[in-house]
Amino acid sequence: MNIKKQIPNIFTLLNLLSGLIAIICVFNGYYDHAFLFVCLGIFFDFWDGFLARRLHANSDLGLQLDSLADMVTSGVVPGLMMFKLFETIQTTQPQFMLTEATYYMGIVPYLGFIITLASCYRLANFNIDTRQTNSFIGLPTPANALLIMSIPMIQYVDSYQWLTNALDNPYILLLITVISAYLLNAEIPLFALKFKKLDWQSSKLQVLFLLYALVLLVIFSFVAIPLIIFSYIIISVLVNKLVKNKLWQLEKAQNLLLKKR
């Protein structure tokens, strides 16, 4: 066995391990710990691909391991988190507590697993979509996981009471669930945050965005996470339009040059 070629796979398995620990944390109500382990899993996920490229250790096995690990850390965990958030509301808030008349509402927490199902579909589609080699189409599952896992963290901070109250509303959580599932599989081109090369020219967009994200985190703490995610989507759309406009202008110039000849 070539140990060097197994290093990226070890990072991928550490991602999976982080996700498994996060599941245990969610079940036991340690949502802050679950958030940290999801972040740790995403850290390992960030580096496994980079190491695979640097060590020339890309393989079909690594691709499958990466999707399976992401399915747990960025698919199962956020779905379970949303399930627990719905369940907590039904057991702590009198206006939403289950009665004999509203017994059927007991299915509501299970709607949180729409996120897991959408994540599974997104990961499977990613593996066969040849358009996503250098960029993404639809929100990557790690970004979506951070969006969902930030909800209890925002509630812990309690700096924005209106936002905390909104996130204690099951209708708001259901809306977030639906938006999350849509964004995961939407035909929206997004730039990749992973570094292909360690040079400014090919990584400047990623570096500038990460600096922007860091500034938001310093200013707004956990509230910055949804701001960063939606900024990522908006910036990607704008960059994509800019690139398309430049290509259109280039094609127009080439056509004019051909006519002159």
Side-chain angles (χ1 to χ4, degrees):
M1 179 185 291
N2 189 329
I3 299 299
K4 185 178 77 169
K5 290 188 178 295
Q6 294 302 321
I7 292 175
N9 292 338
I10 291 171
F11 271 70
T12 303
L13 291 174
L14 288 172
N15 172 17
L16 175 58
L17 178 62
S18 300
L20 293 172
I21 297 173
I23 289 174
I24 295 172
C25 292
V26 172
F27 270 122
N28 288 285
Y30 300 121
Y31 299 157
D32 50 347
H33 293 172
F35 175 84
L36 289 175
F37 277 105
V38 166
C39 289
L40 184 61
I42 291 172
F43 171 81
F44 289 128
D45 181 49
F46 182 89
W47 285 104
D48 63 0
F50 178 80
L51 289 171
R53 290 186 294 272
R54 297 293 291 182
L55 298 174
H56 304 290
N58 292 299
S59 67
D60 291 336
L61 173 63
L63 178 65
Q64 298 306 318
L65 280 176
D66 187 67
S67 290
L68 291 170
D70 280 349
M71 183 58 217
V72 175
T73 305
S74 300
V76 175
V77 177
L80 179 62
M81 184 75 260
M82 188 60 77
F83 171 90
K84 294 296 286 185
L85 291 174
F86 277 125
E87 190 178 56
T88 299
I89 289 173
Q90 286 190 340
T91 57
T92 60
Q93 297 191 35
Q95 68 272 34
F96 297 117
M97 284 183 179
L98 296 178
T99 64
E100 289 186 10
T102 61
Y103 178 77
Y104 69 95
M105 294 298 290
I107 67 169
V108 169
Y110 294 93
L111 296 178
F113 290 118
I114 290 173
I115 296 170
T116 301
L117 300 179
S119 298
C120 181
Y121 188 90
R122 193 259 184 278
L123 287 167
N125 189 46
F126 176 81
N127 285 348
I128 61 173
D129 192 342
T130 56
R131 300 173 299 168
Q132 301 192 56
T133 53
N134 295 312
S135 60
F136 298 116
I137 297 177
L139 188 65
T141 53
N144 185 68
L146 285 177
L147 176 65
I148 302 303
M149 299 303 292
S150 70
I151 294 175
M153 304 309 296
I154 293 171
Q155 293 171 326
Y156 283 158
V157 173
D158 202 24
S159 298
Y160 302 86
Q161 190 60 47
W162 63 272
L163 185 55
T164 302
N165 292 339
L167 294 174
D168 271 332
N169 188 312
Y171 298 106
I172 298 295
L173 293 183
L174 183 58
L175 178 62
I176 293 172
T177 298
V178 172
I179 291 174
S180 164
Y182 169 75
L183 290 176
L184 281 166
N185 295 286
E187 287 287 317
I188 305 174
L190 304 171
F191 67 89
L193 286 172
K194 294 184 177 181
F195 296 96
K196 297 290 184 181
K197 298 178 181 177
L198 292 177
D199 64 90
W200 172 252
Q201 191 59 36
S202 62
S203 305
K204 59 183 177 182
L205 179 59
Q206 288 82 355
V207 171
L208 290 174
F209 182 79
L210 289 175
L211 289 174
Y212 163 77
L214 182 61
V215 170
L216 285 184
L217 284 170
V218 170
I219 296 174
F220 298 108
S221 184
F222 294 107
V223 177
I225 295 176
L227 295 176
I228 292 168
I229 301 301
F230 288 111
S231 295
Y232 171 51
I233 295 171
I234 293 169
I235 292 171
S236 293
V237 170
L238 293 176
V239 168
N240 187 57
K241 285 188 176 181
L242 182 62
V243 170
K244 281 186 175 180
N245 187 50
K246 284 186 177 181
L247 289 174
W248 178 79
Q249 289 178 348
L250 180 60
E251 185 179 354
K252 185 178 179 182
Q254 288 175 338
N255 290 335
L256 287 173
L257 185 61
L258 289 173
K259 286 182 180 179
K260 288 181 180 179
R261 288 181 179 178

